[in-house]
Amino acid sequence: MVGAGRVNSTRAVKNALASAVERAGRSRHVRALNNGALVGARRGHSSCGRQQGGAVRVNASVVDAPRSPSPSRVDLRDDGSPTSNGLFTNTNPEVRRIVPTEEQMKGKTTVVKVVYVVLEAQYQASLSEAVNKLNNRDAKTSGGVGIEIVGYLLEELRDADNYAQFKQDVETANVFIGSLIFIEELAEKVIEAVQPQREKLDACLVFPSMPAVMRLNKLGSFSMAQLGQSKSVISSFMKKKKKQGSGGFEEAMLKLVRTLPSVLKYLPSDKAQDARNFMLSLQYWLGGSAENLENFLLTIAKAYVPEASKLESVLIAEPVVFPDAGIWHPMAPAMYEDLKEYLNWYDTRKDMKFEKDAPVVGLVLQRTHLVTGDEAHYAATVMDLEARGAKVIPIFAGGLDFSGPVKKFFFDPLNKDRSYVDTVVSLTGFALVGGPARQDHPKAIETLKTLNVPYMVSLPLVFQTTEEWSDSSLGLHPVQVALQVALPELDGGLEPIIFSGRDSRTGKSHALHDRIESVCNRAIKWSELRKKQVRDKKVCITVFSFPPDKGNVGTAAYLNVFGSIYKVLKGLKEDGYDVGELPETDKELMESVLNDTEARYNSEDLNVAYKMSVPEYQKLCLYSEALEENWGPAPGTLNTNGEELLVFGKEFGNVFIGVQPTFGYEGDPMRLLFSKSASPHHGFAAYYTYVEHIFKADAVLHFGTHGSLEFMPGKQVGMSDSCYPDSLIGSIPNLYYYAANNPSEATIAKRRSYANTMSYLTPPAENAGLYKGLKELSELVASYQGLKSSNRGIAIVNSIIDKAIQCNLDRDVNLPEVDAKDITEDERDIVVGSVYKKLIEIESRLLPCGLHVIGCPPSAEEAVATLVNIASIDRPEVEPPILGLPTILARSVNRDIEDIYRNSDKGILDDVNLLQDITMACRAAVGEFVNESVAKDGRIDVTFVDILGKLSGAKEDPWVEALKSTAFKNANKEEMEKVFNYLNFCLQQVVKDAELDSLMKALRGEYVEPGPGGDPIRNPDVLPTGKNIHALDPQAIPTSAAVQSAAVVVERLIERQKLDNNGAYPETIALVLWGTDNIKTYGESLAQVMLMVGVRPAPDALGRVNKLELIPLEELGRPRIDVVVNCSGVFRDLFVNQMNLLDRAIKLAAEQDEPSEMNFVRKHALEQAEELGVSVRQAATRIFSNASGSYSSNVNLAVENSSWNDEAQLQDMYLSRKSFAFDSDTPGAGMAESKDIFASALKTVDVTFQNLDSSEISLTDVSHYFDSDPTNLVQGLREDGKKPASFIADTTTANAQVRTLSETVRLDARTKLLNPKWYEGM
């Protein structure tokens, strides 16, 4: 199909060539043509296209394009590889340049040059058609005007050549048009190019964009600035819209257009006309059709281009108005604004017949694609769904608030309380309410809760062509991930599958048929969960064996897996599912699946559910051949008896409990050492093949954190059909119980295995307490405080010192080597205070005790420790702001809590005592509060909690009673009331049981409400569990609060290192960044990196953190510390934009002309540039991770499997797997191997550093900290062989601590490994 409006003739091509060559040497003002004079409408106008290597690039839009190419067969890229410029797109704006030919200009005297910049490409074909139609008009009907146009996609402006050409084009333009410019760094480029030319431009039109870009608007006397200042109706509209954000901007603007007559009377006549022209232009633009855009260009040229005076005689049609919202169908005769009318047409169609109970899928479409005629990808989706037997209701809206149309068109017209659709698939990629700028997630969630059906959000490629995405290891462009994956997830959106590509020449969208097939299959599967009878539904419960060692089958983080499965099975049985004959207990259930509670994976101890022959496997598993490169021919060596592939597990009626196969590492240690990425083995593929095609599961439930499926190789986000997670999960709806405190890996599961991730509670934390010698030592300290002035005081101090040495505390506390009688009383107090402080640190440390059972509320004792810690944090962000209990209690005795923390850290006995008194008072107050709501079995009773809330004030508050006999009895009652009202709310959330309910809802094909993941103590919004976990808007971090917290830790870290290093500053610090930590802390460790190098993150005009401010050395007060940043694979996947920010920050520091003794970043970059023969900027590369699609250094697995011979082998593994660098100058290149720069940077490291941010996980709980720690590697690389100091920041309490690695391990050992309370609880 030839692109609309193209001139299909040899002569046109010859003319284009001739005129392009001629333009290159033309004078800048008057152009002589054979048939008369042609006047450029702009002084200094030059229309020459970009020349490359002396040849003039022919205007592609006047040459025939290939016919509807199949993306998999025809390469539509421009010269070079898809990311030869290191960016995410390599498309050439010259394909959007149209210059009128000599033939088209016969009898015409004026060329009006138009330059446009847009976020997405859907306007390209429509604008090109409009311009070609105008240029094909004769001299009379065109008013003697020809149009030259060139367009830029916003993302293309990252390329230096493109940007230079853009600036040149703007300099010679009459009219500039911009739309949806919402990326700050690119918005600044647009402003930089357009602002200097604004007064010279005849017209400058900017439609919904960032405020600074909107201020470029200029039509005669009209400007946005004037609108904002006047007292008109438009002014108040603009101010109101600015507050509300851009969500309903276009929609509201269109409503304003309709009421223009009443609005314009408030403006002077000339301003009224210009304002009317702006509103009219917006209406033409949002109309989007070639006809509307043709009249739009004529309207602007006629009114504002002086040389286009002959247009006065040309009649220009009013905008063709399309419905603001409605229902569109590719086969329908019209757009419908009423569901009944649409269904009348739909149900009487002759071309299609549907089953009576056919699933109904609602599609959400972007209106701009429909009005610009760029709807082929929508039509393909509709047709595919209908071919599979589903009915379709495709709706659209004029603005970007789809909540209204959803309410209007997706509910049963005969019963407005009942959904008419069974599943909703948004094809816009945007959040349901709000565009790329601001969103209203609560409004979206409320709408979707009412509709109560699964909500999928599929994506069109926006910033990349099909080939660029296909060839990219990253997959989807990070800006699009932030806008169109992360934001819809906050609405509860599922399954970010790319369904359409973009043609690099025409800008038109085209269907990716294999991806559309996947979207449609999965949408129908979700719909069938609503249609199918419960007794007929088949559910696969998948348990894991990770790590693959003895006794690990059926384990998960913090979860009693089989106890929880047993509870789920009983719940399913009550709901009517066929679960067969259930064992009597959860232990019997476990034994029936494992045969042996200590079962090893892949052993005879596991129950074999199915034996799959190799021919059956090869027939059903369409990608089995692709696995042979890594694993040889099937059946391979794993999950096999040598002839058949074995599926482990057991069926209970229509429920199959299966054991997910392992990665396969343990079968081949050498593969572990040298591979950059793993791949599934035949046994792994056979398991999911069985679940989908033989057992025929209607849904799979992955049970607990976490399995291997989501970490299989493939693109990071926006997978293709050749990515293993996509192939393995097939079309099965994926439900996944995930620990509430692990939102980062839950997000990986959500994006890469299309999981509806439902959170479960981690075991409520308890205080570690004291035991054995530590308890005796505590008693001695108490004795000293009572008897220190007596003659026994000195003897007690000697006993404390001896007992402290016996308990190995002498490595954590400075103890005197002389008798206590030889030191002063103040010195004795410091010794006792330091020991006491360490004992309190051990006693009060939180640790999770026991394992959680799905749907089991916590006990009163468990709730107290959690609530005490919730109550300890100041919360200025909540409404009303809340002070933490320690702050309130400290103020009641006229002290500042920060002073008490500092003095306690120094071991000052009086303040150690005071801090302990505050801690005990907090526990007593919260304990009394919780005791009011305890049922007879010791568990929290939710009805008591509700009653407690209602009785507040009816009797004396329990917390007042608790403080009566303490020094804090005068604590501010109003502030205490606020805290306990908040705690009452938190307690209600803790005890709500939504975990089982959410599973049942998902299995019924209903909407599972979304909620944040993270630490319930830092963010109680994580509660109640059972929510569809999401992370956060990646562009919102680090927050200002996170920067403040980070500053404290950085200061303490540097001071601690100076103390241990004779007062010298560390020159380089190596850090590890984790995904979950940064979600929980809102980017604290991100901010730490920036503050170390002396750079401060800053928000843009929309509050998104993507700007940087250099902190002057005078303000910093110390040298800029160099860093080497090792990002986890999960962090890399979730926070590419933040990696970009960090790399920019470090390079900004490296490029400052400052003394080397005050800027270690620059010092080392200069040295490395010389050593490696690269530029200083390249030498300042400091952001490293795994290769795309690969996770961890695998050092932990090598150690666990003993697949190593010496330390050097492990170090080489670390270097090989973690030396892939991110470069903000070439972000599209993904993670590029940079082993030399990585090793060179590590040679300068003095300090290694990690963060502990929550009480659930510490160094001794998981091997990830060890796996990512470069301390030993640095020692091996440093020329002096010196081992760097290793520090851990503990921000689990309000009083952040920086400890050495040894101190942290000792604290862990005392509070967990040696603590009877912990191991008895486990």
Side-chain angles (χ1 to χ4, degrees):
M1 183 175 155
V2 177
R6 288 193 185 81
V7 181
N8 184 10
S9 76
T10 307
R11 188 173 64 178
V13 175
K14 284 180 180 174
N15 285 341
L17 273 168
S19 60
V21 172
E22 185 179 347
R23 283 196 307 279
R26 231 177 237 159
S27 69
R28 299 196 68 191
H29 181 41
V30 179
R31 308 173 197 169
L33 289 180
N34 294 335
N35 61 337
L38 168 67
V39 180
R42 279 287 308 284
R43 210 169 274 282
H45 190 110
S46 170
S47 299
C48 63
R50 188 189 309 176
Q51 294 185 23
Q52 298 184 345
V56 177
R57 184 179 284 276
V58 181
N59 172 13
S61 61
V62 295
V63 182
D64 283 347
R67 294 178 178 272
S68 299
S70 163
S72 58
R73 287 186 290 107
V74 181
D75 190 348
L76 300 176
R77 286 169 286 193
D78 298 301
D79 303 336
S81 68
T83 55
S84 59
N85 57 1
L87 303 175
F88 289 98
T89 186
N90 200 37
T91 53
N92 193 329
E94 292 301 307
V95 301
R96 280 169 237 109
R97 189 183 297 278
I98 298 176
V99 181
T101 63
E102 292 182 22
E103 185 69 27
Q104 289 170 326
M105 289 305 298
K106 277 185 180 172
K108 301 175 187 176
T109 56
T110 304
V111 172
V112 174
K113 183 171 180 180
V114 178
V115 178
Y116 68 92
V117 177
V118 288
L119 180 72
E120 299 180 81
Q122 63 259 43
Y123 274 87
Q124 178 183 333
S126 208
L127 271 168
S128 298
E129 183 181 347
V131 169
N132 281 325
K133 280 184 176 178
L134 277 171
N135 288 340
N136 286 332
R137 290 189 183 195
D138 58 31
K140 185 176 180 182
T141 56
S142 68
V145 169
I147 302 288
E148 177 183 344
I149 193 166
V150 61
Y152 293 80
L153 300 181
L154 192 57
E155 193 61 27
E156 290 169 345
L157 299 184
R158 292 186 194 275
D159 180 85
D161 290 342
N162 286 345
Y163 185 60
Q165 182 64 38
F166 169 64
K167 290 174 85 168
Q168 187 180 327
D169 279 324
V170 172
E171 284 171 15
T172 58
N174 299 90
V175 178
F176 173 76
I177 303 163
S179 179
L180 295 181
I181 299 170
F182 282 115
I183 300 168
E184 171 90 5
E185 58 196 295
L186 298 177
E188 287 173 353
K189 282 177 170 276
V190 171
I191 294 165
E192 183 187 326
V194 177
Q195 185 68 55
Q197 308 300 325
R198 185 173 177 270
E199 291 310 309
K200 297 180 196 170
L201 286 163
D202 295 322
C204 189
L205 294 114
V206 182
F207 302 123
S209 293
M210 297 191 76
V213 190
M214 292 289 285
R215 283 194 283 274
L216 293 172
N217 266 302
K218 184 192 84 166
L219 280 187
S221 60
F222 168 86
S223 74
M224 281 292 171
Q226 287 172 337
L227 271 189
Q229 290 161 5
S230 71
K231 295 179 180 177
S232 67
V233 172
I234 298 180
S235 164
S236 57
F237 163 81
M238 290 300 294
K239 285 173 181 167
K240 185 179 171 190
K241 283 293 124 194
K242 192 171 179 183
K243 282 181 191 170
Q244 290 177 356
S246 70
F249 187 97
E250 295 146 300
E251 203 172 329
M253 282 288 239
L254 279 175
K255 287 175 183 171
L256 186 61
V257 168
R258 294 193 204 97
T259 56
L260 265 179
S262 60
V263 170
L264 295 177
K265 66 185 180 186
Y266 291 97
L267 291 172
S269 58
D270 59 331
K271 288 188 178 178
Q273 186 55 46
D274 291 329
R276 182 183 182 280
N277 282 341
F278 178 78
M279 294 299 180
L280 201 60
S281 298
L282 181 69
Q283 203 168 7
Y284 280 127
W285 183 260
L286 295 178
S289 64
E291 183 185 352
N292 272 332
L293 295 177
E294 192 178 349
N295 290 321
F296 161 58
L297 294 172
L298 286 172
T299 299
I300 297 304
K302 180 177 178 178
Y304 300 105
V305 181
E307 293 84 351
S309 54
K310 289 183 183 176
L311 279 170
E312 287 299 326
S313 60
V314 177
L315 288 175
I316 302 172
E318 290 290 309
V320 176
V321 179
F322 297 92
D324 287 350
I327 307 174
W328 168 90
H329 191 287
M331 304 300 290
M335 292 176 173
Y336 294 93
E337 296 185 71
D338 181 82
L339 179 59
K340 285 183 185 173
E341 286 181 25
Y342 173 77
L343 293 176
N344 285 340
W345 167 76
Y346 199 84
D347 293 338
T348 55
R349 285 172 65 187
K350 302 251 187 322
D351 60 323
M352 293 292 286
K353 293 293 175 195
F354 298 96
E355 296 292 331
K356 190 176 179 184
D357 63 344
V360 182
V361 177
L363 298 180
V364 180
L365 317 176
Q366 256 184 289
R367 181 177 175 273
T368 51
H369 280 281
L370 303 177
V371 297
T372 56
D374 182 24
E375 82 292 342
H377 53 321
Y378 291 165
T381 308
V382 172
M383 298 304 188
D384 195 292
L385 281 166
E386 290 183 340
R388 294 171 197 281
K391 293 182 174 182
V392 189
I393 301 176
I395 68 168
F396 63 87
L400 287 164
D401 181 351
F402 291 95
S403 60
V406 163
K407 289 172 186 169
K408 186 175 180 183
F409 302 121
F410 284 165
F411 284 88
D412 192 329
L414 303 177
N415 180 359
K416 288 294 183 185
D417 295 327
R418 191 167 66 87
S419 165
Y420 190 80
V421 297
D422 297 305
T423 298
V424 171
V425 184
S426 172
L427 301 181
T428 68
F430 287 118
L432 191 74
V433 181
R438 290 190 177 95
Q439 300 74 38
D440 187 343
H441 299 295
K443 184 178 181 183
I445 291 167
E446 204 48 51
T447 302
L448 292 166
K449 273 171 70 178
T450 309
L451 188 66
N452 199 25
V453 301
Y455 175 56
M456 296 167 61
V457 180
S458 298
L459 315 170
L461 286 175
V462 173
F463 301 112
Q464 300 150 284
T465 63
T466 306
E467 296 73 34
E468 287 165 348
W469 161 73
S470 181
D471 290 353
S472 166
S473 59
L474 285 172
L476 197 62
H477 188 299
V479 172
Q480 193 171 357
V481 173
L483 292 177
Q484 298 195 321
V485 177
L487 294 179
E489 284 172 353
L490 306 186
D491 295 341
L494 304 171
E495 309 197 3
I497 301 173
I498 291 168
F499 77 100
S500 70
R502 180 165 65 77
D503 187 303
S504 63
R505 289 200 164 86
T506 66
K508 281 211 163 194
S509 302
H510 53 228
L512 299 176
H513 292 289
D514 67 299
R515 301 286 74 209
I516 286 177
E517 184 179 324
S518 179
V519 171
C520 296
N521 256 335
R522 296 186 64 79
I524 289 170
K525 281 277 195 179
W526 277 111
S527 298
E528 285 172 353
L529 287 174
R530 295 177 69 82
K531 299 283 186 187
K532 204 165 187 176
Q533 293 294 316
V534 170
R535 64 178 177 275
D536 298 326
K537 284 184 191 174
K538 288 190 157 193
V539 179
C540 166
I541 296 175
T542 296
V543 299
F544 310 124
S545 174
F546 191 85
D549 200 359
K550 188 175 182 181
N552 283 328
V553 177
T555 57
Y558 319 108
L559 193 64
N560 177 339
V561 173
F562 281 99
S564 297
I565 290 175
Y566 194 67
K567 188 137 185 164
V568 164
L569 288 173
K570 288 169 79 173
L572 290 173
K573 186 173 184 177
E574 286 170 18
D575 226 36
Y577 287 80
D578 175 5
V579 297
E581 288 295 316
L582 278 184
E584 291 295 315
T585 65
D586 56 353
K587 188 178 179 188
E588 287 177 29
L589 174 71
M590 178 172 69
E591 287 170 352
S592 68
V593 176
L594 304 186
N595 294 342
D596 178 355
T597 54
E598 293 292 298
R600 278 181 182 272
Y601 193 83
N602 206 24
S603 73
E604 294 170 5
D605 298 326
L606 289 172
N607 192 70
V608 176
Y610 190 77
K611 295 178 181 179
M612 188 182 296
S613 70
V614 171
E616 182 180 35
Y617 164 67
Q618 290 171 334
K619 178 186 173 186
L620 295 176
C621 181
L622 302 180
Y623 51 92
S624 62
E625 202 174 312
L627 308 184
E628 292 182 8
E629 183 182 344
N630 280 303
W631 299 97
T637 57
L638 300 170
N639 290 64
T640 177
N641 57 13
E643 295 178 1
E644 301 155 308
L645 288 149
L646 305 179
V647 176
F648 296 117
K650 190 174 177 73
E651 287 185 33
F652 295 88
N654 281 339
V655 177
F656 169 60
I657 300 176
V659 182
Q660 185 189 72
T662 63
F663 260 121
Y665 286 137
E666 66 288 350
D668 188 354
M670 297 315 289
R671 182 190 303 276
L672 171 65
L673 281 172
F674 301 114
S675 70
K676 286 179 186 171
S677 63
S679 69
H681 53 81
H682 293 294
F684 205 101
Y687 177 81
Y688 284 95
T689 300
Y690 168 78
V691 171
E692 181 173 13
H693 298 291
I694 297 170
F695 179 69
K696 297 188 186 300
D698 294 294
V700 60
L701 170 61
H702 288 94
F703 219 98
T705 306
H706 59 74
S708 307
L709 169 66
E710 60 268 32
F711 295 101
M712 286 295 173
K715 299 181 188 302
Q716 286 175 208
V717 187
M719 289 182 297
S720 68
D721 64 340
S722 61
C723 297
Y724 287 115
D726 180 277
S727 302
L728 288 159
I729 196 63
S731 64
I732 319 169
N734 184 10
L735 313 177
Y736 208 142
Y737 271 134
Y738 229 92
N741 71 341
N742 194 349
S744 61
E745 289 181 319
T747 302
I748 299 291
K750 185 186 289 289
R751 295 176 185 176
R752 301 188 87 240
S753 66
Y754 312 140
N756 184 341
T757 47
M758 299 168 297
S759 62
Y760 62 82
L761 197 63
T762 51
E766 295 182 37
N767 297 112
L770 297 174
Y771 53 91
K772 297 183 179 173
L774 295 173
K775 197 168 187 179
E776 292 169 23
L777 188 55
S778 175
E779 289 163 359
L780 282 171
V781 170
S783 299
Y784 173 76
Q785 297 195 74
L787 301 169
K788 71 175 182 176
S789 301
S790 72
N791 55 6
R792 291 184 56 199
I794 291 172
I796 295 171
V797 172
N798 280 326
S799 298
I800 287 172
I801 293 168
D802 291 343
K803 188 54 110 174
I805 292 169
Q806 191 183 331
C807 293
N808 292 317
L809 285 181
D810 52 320
R811 297 180 66 185
D812 299 283
V813 179
N814 285 325
L815 298 174
E817 295 180 3
V818 296
D819 193 283
K821 71 175 186 296
D822 298 329
I823 58 176
T824 67
E825 185 176 340
D826 285 347
E827 286 172 332
R828 288 196 292 272
D829 278 0
I830 290 289
V831 170
V832 175
S834 298
V835 170
Y836 192 27
K837 178 221 165 209
K838 180 55 65 176
L839 290 173
I840 290 169
E841 187 179 73
I842 295 166
E843 187 278 336
S844 60
R845 196 163 200 233
L846 290 179
L847 57 145
C849 280
L851 296 171
H852 179 65
V853 175
I854 295 289
C856 190
S859 70
E861 188 182 354
E862 291 164 344
V864 169
T866 300
L867 289 173
V868 165
N869 281 275
I870 288 174
S872 296
I873 300 172
D874 292 346
R875 298 181 188 274
E877 74 283 357
V878 303
E879 198 52 53
I882 294 169
L883 293 173
L885 278 182
T887 303
I888 298 169
L889 298 185
R891 286 182 183 179
S892 73
V893 291
N894 300 313
R895 290 293 304 276
D896 179 79
I897 191 66
E898 291 299 326
D899 285 342
I900 299 171
Y901 286 148
R902 275 193 293 272
N903 289 341
S904 175
D905 288 346
K906 292 172 187 171
I908 294 172
L909 186 58
D910 287 346
D911 279 354
V912 175
N913 277 324
L914 178 56
L915 185 56
Q916 180 66 348
D917 289 345
I918 288 172
T919 302
M920 300 313 290
C922 290
R923 289 184 195 172
V926 174
E928 283 299 317
F929 161 73
V930 171
N931 286 339
E932 294 276 327
S933 53
V934 180
K936 287 178 182 175
D937 64 355
R939 299 215 163 256
I940 304 296
D941 189 319
V942 70
T943 54
F944 286 179
V945 177
D946 291 339
I947 292 166
L948 183 67
K950 288 167 190 163
L951 290 179
S952 186
K955 59 175 185 168
E956 186 155 60
D957 293 320
W959 51 90
V960 174
E961 193 70 34
L963 297 179
K964 261 184 180 175
S965 57
T966 72
F968 315 109
K969 55 182 178 291
N970 295 323
N972 186 310
K973 285 193 176 179
E974 192 177 320
E975 292 296 341
M976 295 286 283
E977 193 78 38
K978 283 187 202 171
V979 174
F980 281 95
N981 282 341
Y982 186 68
L983 287 185
N984 191 61
F985 164 76
C986 293
L987 189 55
Q988 289 180 50
Q989 305 312 303
V990 169
V991 299
K992 276 183 183 171
D993 178 16
E995 293 171 355
L996 267 177
D997 185 50
S998 293
L999 172 63
M1000 298 308 177
K1001 286 177 78 171
L1003 288 173
R1004 289 195 295 269
E1006 296 177 7
Y1007 176 74
V1008 177
E1009 188 177 343
D1015 180 1
I1017 290 170
R1018 284 178 186 263
N1019 181 13
D1021 288 343
V1022 167
L1023 306 168
T1025 45
K1027 291 176 180 174
N1028 174 6
I1029 308 179
H1030 58 69
L1032 40 68
D1033 177 357
Q1035 297 185 101
I1037 63 170
T1039 61
S1040 56
V1043 174
Q1044 288 174 13
S1045 300
V1048 172
V1049 171
V1050 169
E1051 183 188 339
R1052 291 184 181 179
L1053 171 65
I1054 292 172
E1055 285 306 312
R1056 179 70 197 267
Q1057 169 63 2
K1058 281 176 68 183
L1059 274 176
D1060 297 353
N1061 200 33
N1062 302 318
Y1065 283 100
E1067 292 201 6
T1068 306
I1069 298 176
L1071 305 92
V1072 180
L1073 296 187
W1074 299 99
T1076 287
D1077 294 12
N1078 278 284
I1079 293 171
K1080 288 179 184 175
T1081 64
Y1082 295 92
E1084 277 182 25
S1085 52
L1086 274 172
Q1088 289 167 4
V1089 175
M1090 291 187 230
L1091 294 173
M1092 284 174 188
V1093 301
V1095 174
R1096 190 181 289 118
D1100 66 16
L1102 296 171
R1104 298 176 304 200
V1105 184
N1106 52 29
K1107 297 173 78 173
L1108 297 166
E1109 296 171 357
L1110 190 79
I1111 303 171
L1113 285 175
E1114 304 77 52
E1115 182 187 337
L1116 193 61
R1118 59 165 173 82
R1120 301 188 193 280
I1121 310 291
D1122 198 1
V1123 293
V1124 182
V1125 182
N1126 168 14
C1127 304
S1128 74
V1130 174
F1131 182 94
R1132 173 207 61 208
D1133 289 357
L1134 298 186
F1135 295 115
V1136 175
N1137 294 292
Q1138 272 59 37
M1139 288 168 70
N1140 188 311
L1141 197 67
L1142 289 176
D1143 187 62
R1144 283 166 47 206
I1146 293 161
K1147 286 172 177 170
L1148 177 65
E1151 290 174 336
Q1152 300 309 303
D1153 187 9
E1154 295 168 342
S1156 60
E1157 69 273 11
M1158 292 304 291
N1159 187 335
F1160 299 137
V1161 190
R1162 182 167 180 79
K1163 174 187 173 183
H1164 298 150
L1166 286 168
E1167 291 168 356
Q1168 287 153 11
E1170 189 174 342
E1171 175 196 339
L1172 300 171
V1174 296
S1175 69
V1176 172
R1177 192 167 174 83
Q1178 194 177 346
T1181 297
R1182 296 289 186 269
I1183 309 300
F1184 298 92
S1185 184
N1186 294 75
S1188 300
S1190 169
Y1191 300 84
S1192 92
S1193 72
N1194 285 347
V1195 168
N1196 57 342
L1197 292 171
V1199 171
E1200 283 170 22
N1201 293 319
S1202 301
S1203 55
W1204 61 291
N1205 299 318
D1206 57 33
E1207 186 83 21
Q1209 204 173 13
L1210 294 178
Q1211 290 175 13
D1212 188 56
M1213 178 187 286
Y1214 189 102
L1215 265 179
S1216 298
R1217 287 185 63 87
K1218 302 297 288 189
S1219 60
F1220 292 80
F1222 181 86
D1223 185 352
S1224 58
D1225 297 329
T1226 57
M1231 306 305 296
E1233 190 161 16
S1234 306
K1235 200 169 179 179
D1236 290 345
I1237 293 178
F1238 186 44
S1240 180
L1242 285 171
K1243 285 178 188 175
T1244 67
V1245 168
D1246 301 306
V1247 174
T1248 62
F1249 177 65
Q1250 297 200 54
N1251 285 278
L1252 287 176
D1253 65 277
S1254 67
S1255 56
E1256 294 108 335
I1257 293 182
S1258 192
L1259 299 187
T1260 56
D1261 293 313
V1262 291
S1263 57
H1264 298 67
Y1265 294 106
F1266 161 69
D1267 181 64
S1268 293
D1269 179 36
T1271 305
N1272 288 344
L1273 171 61
V1274 170
Q1275 183 180 14
L1277 290 171
R1278 280 184 66 111
E1279 289 172 7
D1280 59 7
K1282 180 184 173 186
K1283 193 167 190 172
S1286 188
F1287 290 99
I1288 307 291
D1290 181 346
T1291 59
T1292 58
T1293 64
N1295 184 21
Q1297 299 288 316
V1298 173
R1299 304 186 184 96
T1300 65
L1301 176 60
S1302 302
E1303 288 167 352
T1304 307
V1305 171
R1306 287 197 294 274
L1307 182 61
D1308 256 19
R1310 289 178 179 124
T1311 54
K1312 286 186 178 175
L1313 304 180
L1314 303 174
N1315 188 351
K1317 185 175 186 177
W1318 183 74
Y1319 57 74
E1320 284 165 12
M1322 298 302 282

